[in-house]
Amino acid sequence: MSNPNVSENSAAALVARTLKARGVDRVFALCGGHIMPIWMRLDAEGIRIVDVRDERAAVYMAHAHAELTGGLGVALVTAGPGVTNAMTGIANAHVARASVLVLSGTPPRAQENRGALQDMIHTEFVRPLTRYARTVREPDLVLQELDEAVARALGETGEPGPAYLDFPVDTLRAAVSPAVQLPELLGPKAKRQLRPDADSIEAAVELLWSAQRPLVISGRGAKGAGPQLQRLLDATGALYLDTGESRGLVPEEHPSVVAAMRGSVMGEADLVVTVGRRLDFQLAYGSPAVFGAARFLRIGDVAGELRDNRRGAAEVYGSVAASLEAIVERAAGRQPATDRTWASSTRAKHQARADKLLTSMAQATPGSDGLMHPNRLIAALRQALPRDAVVIADGGDFLSFARVGLPASTYLDPGSLGCIGIGTPFGVAAGLACPGRTVVVATGDGAFGFNAMEIDTAARHRVPVLIVVANNGSWAIEVRDQQETHGKVVGTRLQFADHAAMARGFGLHAERVERVQDLDAAIARALAAVAAGGPALLDVLVTPESASSDAKSGLAWVPDLQALGAWDEAEEAWRQSSTATTA
C-alpha cells in the first residue's frame, strides 16, 4: 500500500510553498481525496483554508479576493463533480477577467481511462473559460507549470483571468527533483508595468484637449488607478460615468460625476474615453445609435479593451495608471477645450436628479400588500453604512435598486455575465480580505438562494459580514414581464421564506423585518453583531409590486439588437437610416 502522507519534497508541498511565496495567505476550498495532498500541505505551510459548502462558491470567493486585494485568488476543488460544480464560478471570473487560480486533482496515473472514481478530462471542460488549462503528470514539471498558470491568471502574458491546473494524485505525492527546484520558480514576483508609447500618448492628448464634450467611462482596468483617473478628470473637466466594474474609484461628490444623466450624456459627448472598459451590452456596444457621432479614445492594458466593437481614433496600450499619468504630464500647461457650461449644467441636472431620488427613496410608499418598497430598505442602509463600507449587490430586480441608490467606495456585483448568486460568497471573501471595514451584502431573495448554504461558511469562520435579503417572494423582473407581455405568470413566484430562521439555525445573528418602522433598529443591531466579530442576516420583506429600472428597460424580454428597449429602437432606426442613405 502506498503511503498517503506527503513529504516536504513532494509536488504537493512545493505547490503550497510556491503559493505562500507568491503572497497567498488563504485558499477557498472543498475537500476530497484527489486534492488531499495539497490540502494538508497548505495547512502545513500556514495557509488558511476557508472550507466552503459548494465548489462554485469557492471560485466566487477567490474571484472576490482577487478583485479586492489586486492579487491572486486561489480555489482548490476536487475531481469530477468538484470541477463541474466550479465551472459557473470559473465562467464568471472569465468574463470579469478576475485573476483566479483553480487547482484540482485526478486519479492516479495507473488508473487513468479505466473507469476510476471521478476520472474525467477536466481540461476539456474548462479550457474555453480559462487563460491556461493543463493536467500536470510529471512531478518535475509542477513548478514550471504552476509558474506559467499564475502568470496567465495575473495577465502577465495577455488578458488576466482564471487559470486551471490539475494533477494525478500520485504525482502530488511524488518527490520533485532538487535540480528543478529553481529559485526563480519558487520566489515572489514583482508586478510588471506596461509603459505606453509616446506617439499614442500624444494622440490621446490631442483628442482629449480638443474635445468640447468629453466623457470618460471606466471599467475593470482602471482599478488601482483611482488617483490618476481623478487627476485626468480635474485636468480636462471631462464628465464621468463609472460602471459596476470600477464603482467607487471616483467619489460621488466629484464635479465630473454625472451618473444620473447616463442616458443623455452618452448621446451628447463628442469624445468617449474608455479606461480599461469594454464596450459590451452595458454600453450599447459603442453604437452610433446611442453615442451619436462621438469619436472614441480607448485606454487599456489588454487588447480586448482597446478594440472590441469600436476602434478608437487613438488607442493607448499600457498599464492604466501609467497611461493616465503620462497623458496628464504630456498636456501640462495646455488649456482644454471642454465646454464648461455643458459640463456644469449636466452636473447640476445630475445633482437635482440624485437629490430627488434620495427624497423619493425615503418616502417610497408601500405596495397594496402593505409591504415596504425596496427603496425604503436601500435608504435605510444608505443612512446606516459608513462611507468606507464594502458593498456587494446581488440579484435581478433588487440589484437594480441597489445599483442606483446605494453608494460605495468599494463595490462588487454579478458583473456582465449576470451571474446572480455571488452575494454571500463575495461577502465572505470581502469580510476576510477587508478587516476593520463594514461589509454588507444587499441581495434579492432569489439570488440569495443560489448559495444560501454559505452562511454556514460565514458562521464557522466567524466572518464579519452583514447579509441583507430583500425578500419579495418572487423573481420579480420575470413576473412583471410575464404579466405585461404574456398575461400569465408561470414558475416565477417564490414563497416568502423565513431566511432569518435558517440563519439562526446556523448560528448567525438574524432578524426578520416586516415593518418599515422596525428597520433602522434592526440594521443597528445587525451592524453591532458584525462589529463584535460575527456574521448577521436581515430578512426584510419588501413588496414585489415595485418596478425597478431594469424591469422597465427591456432586459427581461431580451431585445434583438441592444440590451435595452430604448436602445434597441434607436439601433433599428439608425440601421434603417444608414441603409436608406447608402441605397
Side-chain angles (χ1 to χ4, degrees):
M1 178 179 176
S2 59
N3 184 355
N5 293 318
V6 289
S7 73
E8 293 185 359
N9 206 38
S10 65
L14 288 168
V15 168
R17 202 175 306 151
T18 301
L19 292 178
K20 184 175 182 179
R22 300 293 179 96
V24 175
D25 58 0
R26 66 180 61 98
V27 168
F28 305 94
L30 205 161
C31 62
H34 293 95
I35 57 172
M36 200 59 74
I38 298 178
W39 187 285
M40 299 311 296
R41 292 309 308 182
L42 290 173
D43 179 72
E45 290 293 335
I47 295 175
R48 180 177 182 179
I49 296 174
V50 181
D51 53 307
V52 303
R53 297 299 300 269
D54 186 280
E55 289 89 355
R56 170 179 50 181
V59 183
Y60 286 157
M61 291 179 193
H63 176 160
H65 178 87
E67 296 274 20
L68 292 166
T69 65
L72 180 71
V74 182
L76 177 62
V77 303
T78 200
V83 174
T84 57
N85 285 349
M87 284 183 65
T88 299
I90 296 172
N92 198 42
H94 164 65
V95 173
R97 308 184 293 290
S99 297
V100 171
L101 174 66
V102 180
L103 302 175
S104 186
T106 66
R109 287 168 289 181
Q111 299 182 45
E112 285 183 355
N113 201 32
R114 300 186 67 195
L117 174 67
Q118 299 176 344
D119 187 6
M120 307 184 83
I121 305 175
H122 306 131
T123 51
E124 293 188 5
F125 300 158
V126 303
R127 185 165 285 117
L129 303 174
T130 57
R131 307 296 179 263
Y132 195 69
R134 290 290 303 273
T135 295
V136 187
R137 293 179 171 83
E138 169 54 50
D140 282 358
L141 292 178
V142 164
L143 288 177
Q144 178 180 318
E145 291 287 3
L146 183 61
D147 181 67
E148 184 66 20
V150 171
R152 298 286 187 99
L154 293 173
E156 293 181 7
T157 53
E159 188 172 64
Y164 174 87
L165 291 179
D166 61 24
F167 315 83
V169 69
D170 61 320
T171 297
L172 291 173
R173 291 193 285 253
V176 174
S177 169
V180 301
Q181 296 182 31
L182 302 174
E184 62 264 28
L185 296 177
L186 287 164
K189 299 290 184 293
K191 191 170 184 178
R192 298 176 182 175
Q193 290 289 319
L194 180 63
R195 291 287 171 183
D197 69 86
D199 289 344
S200 67
I201 294 298
E202 181 65 32
V205 169
E206 288 301 318
L207 274 176
L208 253 173
W209 264 256
S210 62
Q212 293 185 315
R213 299 184 303 280
L215 173 66
V216 176
I217 305 176
S218 64
R220 175 215 65 86
K223 288 184 176 181
Q228 293 84 358
L229 177 58
Q230 290 187 53
R231 282 198 288 273
L232 180 77
L233 296 173
D234 293 339
T236 60
L239 296 183
Y240 173 73
L241 296 176
D242 65 15
T243 63
E245 293 182 356
S246 59
R247 189 172 176 186
L249 284 182
V250 179
E252 282 191 318
E253 59 269 18
H254 193 282
S256 291
V257 173
V258 290
M261 300 300 295
R262 173 188 171 95
S264 60
V265 76
M266 285 168 62
E268 294 172 359
D270 63 356
L271 177 67
V272 176
V273 185
T274 64
V275 183
R277 187 58 164 89
R278 285 181 170 172
L279 289 167
D280 60 13
F281 76 94
Q282 296 173 322
L283 293 173
Y285 312 114
S287 172
V290 174
F291 287 97
R295 293 187 294 174
F296 282 77
L297 166 59
R298 310 296 302 272
I299 302 170
D301 60 0
V302 297
E305 291 165 1
L306 294 180
R307 58 173 181 255
D308 68 312
N309 291 311
R310 290 290 297 272
R311 295 300 296 256
E315 297 168 349
V316 179
Y317 178 51
S319 299
V320 171
S323 298
L324 296 177
E325 196 170 79
I327 290 171
V328 173
E329 289 178 357
R330 181 66 185 85
R334 182 168 174 174
Q335 188 68 26
T338 302
D339 183 341
R340 300 287 179 169
T341 301
W342 168 76
S344 60
S345 172
T346 306
R347 170 66 182 180
K349 292 174 184 176
H350 156 81
Q351 195 62 59
R353 283 192 179 182
D355 293 343
K356 183 179 179 180
L357 173 65
L358 289 179
T359 301
S360 66
M361 285 169 56
Q363 299 174 353
T365 57
S368 64
D369 51 14
L371 297 177
M372 75 180 80
H373 194 287
N375 271 337
R376 293 300 293 271
L377 172 55
I378 295 296
L381 287 173
R382 183 180 180 119
Q383 184 69 28
L385 295 179
R387 286 180 63 87
D388 70 341
V390 179
V391 173
I392 293 109
D394 191 15
D397 200 58
F398 187 63
L399 171 62
S400 180
F401 289 108
R403 185 178 61 239
V404 172
L406 192 58
S409 59
T410 303
Y411 173 89
L412 297 174
D413 69 16
S416 55
L417 185 62
C419 193
I420 65 173
I422 53 88
T424 300
F426 272 28
V428 169
L432 295 172
C434 303
R437 295 178 66 184
T438 299
V439 176
V440 62
V441 176
T443 178
D445 56 331
F448 174 69
F450 279 100
N451 287 287
M453 280 298 290
E454 297 307 327
I455 63 174
D456 175 56
T457 304
R460 286 183 293 104
H461 288 272
R462 298 293 299 163
V463 180
V465 56
L466 170 58
I467 302 163
V468 181
V469 182
N471 187 348
N472 63 12
S474 66
W475 300 100
I477 289 180
E478 286 72 20
V479 167
R480 179 169 294 275
D481 176 55
Q482 288 180 342
Q483 287 174 329
E484 296 178 354
T485 306
H486 305 282
K488 183 179 182 181
V489 177
V490 181
T492 53
R493 295 198 189 279
L494 304 171
Q495 57 178 319
F496 286 93
D498 193 341
H499 303 298
M502 178 180 71
R504 283 192 294 272
F506 284 102
L508 279 72
H509 169 93
E511 299 183 40
R512 186 173 172 91
V513 184
E514 301 184 9
R515 303 186 309 163
V516 70
Q517 55 264 42
D518 299 329
L519 188 55
D520 289 343
I523 292 173
R525 288 190 293 270
L527 288 174
V530 171
L537 182 142
L538 293 178
D539 180 22
V540 183
L541 299 191
V542 299
T543 180
E545 298 173 7
S546 57
S548 69
S549 58
D550 284 353
K552 301 172 185 176
S553 68
L555 279 175
W557 56 270
V558 192
D560 289 340
L561 301 174
Q562 288 279 353
L564 307 183
W567 290 357
D568 190 64
E569 293 174 5
E571 181 77 18
E572 185 172 4
W574 173 70
R575 293 190 181 194
Q576 289 176 351
S577 173
S578 298
T579 301
T581 301
T582 57

